[in-house]
Amino acid sequence: MISTLIKSALGRLRIVAFLEGISYLVLLGIAMPLKYIAGLPQAVRVVGMAHGVLFVLFVVLLIQVATERSWSFKKSLLSFISSLVPFGTFYADAKWFRE
């Protein structure tokens, strides 16, 4: 199934959206508490860097898919906003990324 997703821009967006969503949850739910409760800032440094790279990749793929598929500005904007909300990319995948 993954090899099928990798072949299209929308499939790559779905994979990156999933990974970006997971990294966001790990950052908020594990790394941030480790930093502020346990005094381990390294967790945020590592997870934050991975999340940042995935976020940038998500935005690039979102622009590519929105252009290729002629998505409306509203759909593109809502897809972008979904990446700013915890669990948002999972909702976006279920609602907009499965065509």
Side-chain angles (χ1 to χ4, degrees), residues 13 16-17 54-62 79-80 83 89 97:
L13 175 64
V16 170
L54 287 167
F55 178 77
V56 170
L57 188 56
F58 174 83
V59 171
V60 168
L61 287 169
L62 179 61
S79 297
F80 172 75
S83 69
T89 56
F97 299 164

Side-chain angles (χ1 to χ4, degrees), residues 2-20:
I2 292 178
S3 63
T4 307
L5 288 174
I6 292 174
K7 292 179 183 178
S8 71
L10 182 60
R12 289 187 296 274
L13 175 64
R14 290 185 65 199
I15 292 169
V16 170
F18 177 78
L19 295 173
E20 194 269 342

